[in-house]
């Protein structure tokens, strides 16, 4: 970083997003990459994403594309519903 550059705060959507059952965990990284785990399979899908407003466009490393939208703090990614880790709904189905 040069003296003219200032560090930027990460986008508010950066972080771990999980399904209610905790099976799918999608981490949005601050460098525009994502890493998605499914069950015990780590890095099941990896790729890049861009954010425009509340809309996300994904391109996985094989070239597959997908989209997502954040509404009321919930990530609707194609047929999945993901909650920000720490949200009361995230992984709730695995709790006692």
């Amino acid at each position: 970083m040069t003296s003219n550059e200032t560090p930027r705060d990460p986008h508010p959507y950066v972080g771990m997003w999980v399904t209610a059952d905790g099976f799918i965990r999608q981490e949005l990284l601050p460098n525009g990459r994502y890493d998605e785990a499914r069950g015990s399979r780590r890095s099941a899908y990896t790729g890049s994403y861009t954010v425009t407003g509340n809309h996300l466009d994904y391109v996985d490393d094989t070239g597959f594309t997908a989209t997502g939208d954040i509404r009321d703090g919930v990530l609707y990614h194609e047929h999945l519903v993901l909650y920000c880790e720490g949200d009361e709904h995230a992984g709730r189905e695995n709790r006692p």
Side-chain angles (χ1 to χ4, degrees):
M1 176 169 26
T2 68
S3 60
N4 292 337
E5 295 176 347
T6 56
R8 294 186 302 169
D9 289 333
H11 194 280
Y13 300 154
V14 165
M16 185 66 74
W17 295 82
V18 299
T19 55
D21 63 4
F23 184 77
I24 297 174
R25 299 166 310 285
Q26 185 181 93
E27 185 173 13
L28 299 178
L29 302 166
N31 63 355
R33 300 276 302 160
Y34 72 90
D35 190 318
E36 184 175 304
R38 292 187 173 228
S40 62
R41 186 174 168 209
R42 302 178 88 172
S43 299
Y45 299 98
T46 58
S48 62
Y49 71 95
T50 57
V51 179
T52 306
N54 292 329
H55 180 80
L56 289 88
D57 288 297
Y58 297 85
V59 179
D60 84 3
D61 291 337
T62 67
F64 179 80
T65 61
T67 62
D69 292 289
I70 305 277
R71 294 191 305 270
D72 297 323
V74 177
L75 171 55
Y76 296 90
H77 174 59
E78 299 297 333
H79 65 281
L80 301 172
V81 177
L82 299 109
Y83 303 93
C84 189
E85 189 171 60
D87 180 283
E88 67 179 282
H89 298 95
R92 70 176 175 204
E93 293 177 12
N94 287 339
R95 293 184 196 156

